[in-house]
């Protein structure tokens, strides 16, 4: 996955993989109404879908590079189309559950391929933001149309299956399997940043669980507690996802200017507050305020989390593992939200979920502050690149601000002033106490003769 291919096929596959989780409120709500399931049972079906999706991610972690992205992406899209299509046609609960598990595995496979490909992009944050932008727009359009078409539980599943089929032609632009000897040399490397990666994966699990616990019952909060109709709730969701589009576009414009820690930390605090507002809503105004604010900030923080995971490993292994851990949290969300809302009520559920979101903000923000992953700025140098990377950056005209400064704990370098494209080898020396070879921290300087 090291080749820098066009981003739009990855964005298309990302949209098909993520769409099921975005439509989860209407899926859970319609399963409860039209199949006679209790809210907890409907939430359990949603959790089964997302757990199957997470299992696909764990299965493919570290293997996408070996198989190539085209084959697993196509397999995932086929499973999604067959699984969700069968769920749309099934009329009994056991058949729906079995079909949902198959479709969820396909969604997870598509998401894993997209995550690995995004990590290999020149600017992973920009690509992930574009993917979230596309899936938000698709889900928003469906929330505007599905409530007017009826169809029980069948219509949401049919829509996801149709999107998977429409995305299929884009897979022809993805890369195929890697040659055995090349694949072996690429994949056998040690997984970098293990401690930071594990903290990030665990934080994303809890963070996603809290978000999806509310998202899974948001439709019932609007209908039962706020007294709104399904059409009105759908319009609120569409407006909220539209605000999410603006948030993602803003994140794309902001890029690296504020780093990753500020958007992740501050955004998570805002999300916690909006969870409390939405879960305690008693009318249209408070419900719409909480949902719109939440959905505006949520994809922004998620785009930075995805970019942070991608920066930990250019091969995309941490992107897939952290994404799969997030999928486990997403999978547990509907059941957790259903149980908490039934046992404690919606307002108390919101307080619990908001507190959990605040607790996880600190460790995830710490990873963003201290991890030396790839910068968000295209063309910049890895912090752990050392003198060779800085030398390459200087000779190719990269951003000077991306080169580590002297006195930092990383490799110390000085900037190279090159007036012509000829470097004088004799002017390149090491910075050890004796000026001899073998010193670990070296800098290079040159002058024009």
């Amino acid at each position: 996955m090291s080749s820098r291919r066009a981003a739009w096929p990855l964005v298309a596959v990302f949209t098909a993989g993520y769409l099921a989780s975005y439509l989860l409120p209407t899926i859970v709500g319609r399963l409860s109404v039209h199949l006679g399931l209790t809210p907890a049972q409907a939430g359990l079906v949603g959790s089964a879908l997302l757990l199957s999706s997470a299992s696909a991610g764990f299965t493919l972690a570290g293997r996408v590079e070996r198989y190539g992205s085209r084959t697993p992406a196509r397999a995932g899209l086929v499973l999604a189309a067959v699984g969700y299509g069968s769920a749309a046609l099934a009329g009994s609960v056991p058949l729906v559950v079995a079909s949902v598990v198959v479709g969820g595995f396909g969604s997870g496979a598509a998401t894993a391929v997209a995550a690995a490909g995004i990590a290999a992009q020149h600017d992973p944050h920009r690509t992930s933001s574009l993917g979230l932008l596309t899936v938000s727009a698709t889900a928003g359009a469906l929330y505007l149309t599905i409530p007017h078409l009826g169809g029980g539980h069948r219509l949401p599943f049919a829509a996801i299956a149709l999107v998977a089929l429409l995305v299929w032609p884009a897979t022809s632009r993805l890369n195929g399997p890697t040659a055995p000897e090349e694949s072996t040399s690429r994949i056998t490397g040690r997984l970098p940043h293990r401690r930071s990666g594990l903290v990030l994966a665990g934080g994303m699990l809890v963070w996603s669980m809290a978000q999806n616990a509310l998202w899974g019952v948001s439709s019932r909060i609007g209908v039962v507690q706020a007294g709104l109709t399904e059409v009105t709730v759908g319009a609120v969701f569409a407006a909220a996802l539209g605000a999410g589009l603006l948030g993602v576009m803003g994140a794309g414009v902001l890029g690296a200017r504020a780093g990753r820690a500020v958007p992740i930390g501050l955004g998570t605090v805002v999300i916690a507050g909006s969870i409390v507002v939405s879960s305690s809503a008693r009318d249209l105004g408070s419900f719409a305020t909480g949902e719109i604010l939440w959905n505006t900030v949520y994809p922004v923080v998620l785009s930075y989390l995805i970019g942070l995971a991608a920066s930990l490993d250019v091969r995309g292994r941490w992107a897939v593992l952290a994404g799969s851990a997030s999928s486990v949290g997403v999978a547990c969300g509907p059941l957790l939200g259903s149980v908490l809302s039934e046992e404690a009520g919606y307002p108390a559920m919101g307080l619990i979920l908001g507190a959990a979101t605040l607790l996880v903000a600190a460790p995830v923000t710490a990873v963003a502050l201290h991890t030396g992953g790839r910068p968000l700025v295209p063309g910049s140098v890895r912090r752990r690149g050392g003198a060779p990377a800085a030398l390459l950056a200087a000779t190719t005209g990269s951003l000077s601000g991306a080169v580590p400064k002297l006195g930092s704990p990383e490799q110390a370098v000085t900037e190279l002033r090159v007036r012509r494209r000829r470097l004088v080898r004799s002017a390149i020396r090491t910075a050890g106490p004796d000026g001899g070879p073998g010193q670990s921290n070296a800098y290079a300087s040159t002058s024009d003769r």
Side-chain angles (χ1 to χ4, degrees):
M1 298 295 296
S2 60
S3 60
R4 306 289 195 223
R5 289 178 173 263
W8 72 265
L10 295 172
V11 171
V13 174
F14 182 91
T15 301
Y18 249 73
L19 186 59
S21 61
Y22 267 68
L23 292 182
L24 198 65
T26 190
I27 290 174
V28 171
R30 290 195 170 213
L31 286 175
S32 178
V33 172
H34 297 282
L35 288 183
L37 301 177
T38 66
Q41 290 172 335
L44 187 59
V45 175
S47 295
L49 184 159
L50 296 169
L51 278 175
S52 180
S53 179
S55 67
F58 286 120
T59 302
L60 288 176
R63 294 181 172 89
V64 175
E65 192 174 22
R66 178 185 306 149
Y67 301 142
S69 54
R70 186 187 307 127
T71 299
R74 287 179 170 177
L77 293 175
V78 168
L79 289 175
V82 171
Y84 296 125
S86 300
L89 297 174
S92 64
V93 173
L95 287 177
V96 169
V97 172
S99 300
V100 157
V101 170
V102 174
F105 194 90
S107 293
T111 303
V113 171
I118 287 171
Q121 289 293 303
H122 191 60
D123 187 353
H125 175 258
R126 181 179 180 181
T127 309
S128 63
S129 297
L130 186 59
L132 290 171
L133 189 69
T134 306
V135 71
S136 296
T138 304
L142 290 174
Y143 273 117
L144 283 175
T145 55
I146 287 178
H148 297 282
L149 299 177
H153 73 283
R154 305 179 190 277
L155 197 56
F157 290 129
I160 302 172
L162 179 61
V163 170
L165 292 176
L166 292 176
V167 168
W168 171 272
T171 59
S172 62
R173 301 296 299 272
L174 300 176
N175 64 318
T178 307
E181 62 276 4
E182 186 180 357
S183 176
T184 302
S185 63
R186 286 182 182 178
I187 297 172
T188 54
R190 182 180 177 182
L191 190 65
H193 305 293
R194 293 192 177 186
R195 182 180 301 175
S196 297
L198 289 174
V199 171
L200 179 61
M204 288 183 68
L205 189 154
V206 177
W207 187 86
S208 298
M209 185 187 302
Q211 310 309 303
N212 228 51
L214 177 64
W215 187 238
V217 299
S218 288
S219 180
R220 298 207 302 274
I221 292 176
V223 173
V224 176
Q225 183 171 274
L228 308 176
T229 65
E230 185 186 8
V231 173
T232 303
V233 170
V236 171
F237 286 163
L241 292 173
L245 296 180
L246 298 178
V248 173
M249 287 189 289
V253 172
L254 179 64
R257 293 178 180 84
R260 293 190 182 99
V262 172
I264 290 175
L266 182 60
T268 301
V269 172
V270 175
I271 287 172
S274 61
I275 288 175
V276 175
V277 172
S278 181
S279 62
S280 59
R282 299 285 180 179
D283 52 32
L284 175 60
S286 56
F287 180 73
T289 300
E291 291 291 325
I292 291 174
L293 179 62
W294 177 43
N295 280 278
T296 301
V297 182
Y298 166 82
V300 174
V301 178
L302 182 58
S303 69
Y304 280 95
L305 289 173
I306 294 174
L308 177 59
S311 74
L312 298 181
D313 179 26
V314 71
R315 296 175 185 173
R317 290 171 291 180
W318 275 124
V320 176
L321 290 172
S324 299
S326 175
S327 296
V328 172
V330 170
C332 297
L335 181 60
L336 176 64
S338 297
V339 171
L340 285 177
S341 61
E342 286 187 349
E343 297 296 328
Y346 295 119
M349 177 202 71
L351 291 175
I352 295 172
L353 297 179
T357 303
L358 286 178
L359 287 176
V360 81
V364 173
T365 305
V367 173
L369 279 171
H370 300 296
T371 298
R374 273 186 298 161
L376 292 174
V377 182
S380 56
V381 185
R382 293 178 64 93
R383 287 179 61 214
R384 298 183 184 271
L391 182 63
L392 176 63
T395 57
T396 55
S398 297
L399 298 175
S400 60
V403 180
K405 297 181 180 180
L406 286 172
S408 66
E410 289 79 21
Q411 298 286 350
V413 296
T414 58
E415 297 182 0
L416 295 178
R417 292 177 297 174
V418 181
R419 290 196 293 268
R420 293 203 299 263
R421 291 187 176 276
R422 181 169 57 89
L423 291 176
V424 183
R425 292 193 178 189
S426 61
I428 300 176
R429 60 185 178 84
T430 58
D434 299 326
Q439 301 299 329
S440 59
N441 292 329
Y443 68 89
S445 62
T446 186
S447 61
D448 187 45
R449 292 183 177 179

